[in-house]
Amino acid sequence: MNLAPLSPDDTTVVLVDYAVGFANLLRSHDLREHIANVAGLARTATAYGSGLVVTNGEASKPSGPLYPELLEVIGDRPVIERTTAFNSFLDPAFAEAVRATGRRRLVIGGIATDGCVLQTALGALREGYEAYVVVDATASLSREAHDAAVQRMAMSGVVPVTWWSLAAEFQLEPRFADAPYRAQLMSEFQPAMTMAGRTFFAGVRQGRLAPATA
């Protein structure tokens, strides 16, 4: 495994099939938390300027278009519509878009873990890329299906990560030392951590306001 931190300069975030028609089928993760993690992953890519490739099946099919929350984050960036099967690398437009980023490390999230994510990650390995799977921004029809797919990917050489750990590694770049991006991501997508921070600083303020004792 490459122990060098993931960097926006050598990493492309790949988002696969976050279609609204699939959302109601997911049982491995809480849907609200899942959508927040997906949006957080996409925002991490756009904030730090990594590569970003977004793909979906045909929006006219029952699976439908991408999550509105994801579309809001990616703005006018292109969405590659595939007509091929599970392995996204079998689609020439997708494969070319990934190559065009010039980056050899791929961080992949999508739906479903045991379907398009698994096959795209294995396809990335066959193409000679370093592949990572974002386990908390990826989901499936059951926890068992999700976990089995993650285990298979890990045994094949795909490295499990989380979207928040990816943001932390991107922040390690010296040029981002004083950048507000991770704090902004926490404020928007990590409410529990945000509230913990508020509790701490409230305690600090109370301590400063408390009358001095002999």
Side-chain angles (χ1 to χ4, degrees):
M1 186 177 71
N2 187 346
L3 296 181
L6 290 158
S7 163
D9 298 331
D10 65 15
T11 301
T12 291
V13 174
V14 176
L15 307 179
V16 181
D17 294 356
Y18 287 118
V20 294
F22 292 143
N24 289 332
L25 303 176
L26 303 178
R27 296 294 183 271
S28 62
H29 294 74
D30 174 77
L31 182 57
R32 182 166 48 185
E33 183 178 350
H34 165 74
I35 292 173
N37 290 346
V38 171
L41 174 60
R43 185 83 75 194
T44 297
T46 60
Y48 290 98
S50 73
L52 178 62
V53 175
V54 185
T55 184
N56 190 25
E58 295 172 278
S60 60
K61 290 188 174 180
S63 54
L66 296 176
Y67 302 166
E69 296 84 354
L70 175 56
L71 289 170
E72 182 178 350
V73 174
I74 67 173
D76 60 359
R77 289 173 175 82
V79 177
I80 299 168
E81 284 200 349
R82 307 188 323 280
T83 58
T84 55
F86 299 120
N87 178 6
S88 300
F89 281 96
L90 297 178
D91 184 276
F94 173 88
E96 177 54 34
V98 174
R99 281 194 295 269
T101 69
R103 296 162 167 90
R104 300 302 299 174
R105 306 174 92 179
L106 305 184
V107 174
I108 303 167
I111 303 298
T113 320
D114 54 334
C116 294
V117 174
L118 170 65
Q119 295 303 325
T120 298
L122 296 179
L125 294 178
R126 296 186 196 105
E127 296 290 327
Y129 292 98
E130 263 182 54
Y132 300 74
V133 59
V134 190
V135 294
D136 60 345
T138 300
S140 197
L141 276 68
S142 70
R143 190 73 199 196
E144 183 179 43
H146 172 84
D147 291 346
V150 170
Q151 184 178 17
R152 181 180 174 187
M153 283 186 273
M155 293 178 70
S156 301
V158 180
V159 181
V161 297
T162 65
W163 81 266
W164 186 239
S165 70
L166 176 68
E169 290 192 48
F170 282 1
Q171 186 79 26
L172 291 174
E173 284 286 328
R175 68 182 183 276
F176 296 126
D178 298 319
Y181 303 139
R182 194 160 182 263
Q184 291 169 350
L185 287 165
M186 183 172 69
S187 176
E188 190 171 0
F189 302 109
Q190 292 278 26
M193 294 185 70
T194 301
M195 294 304 289
R198 290 172 180 167
T199 301
F200 170 78
F201 289 114
V204 170
R205 286 194 297 271
Q206 288 297 319
R208 288 173 178 169
L209 294 172
T213 58

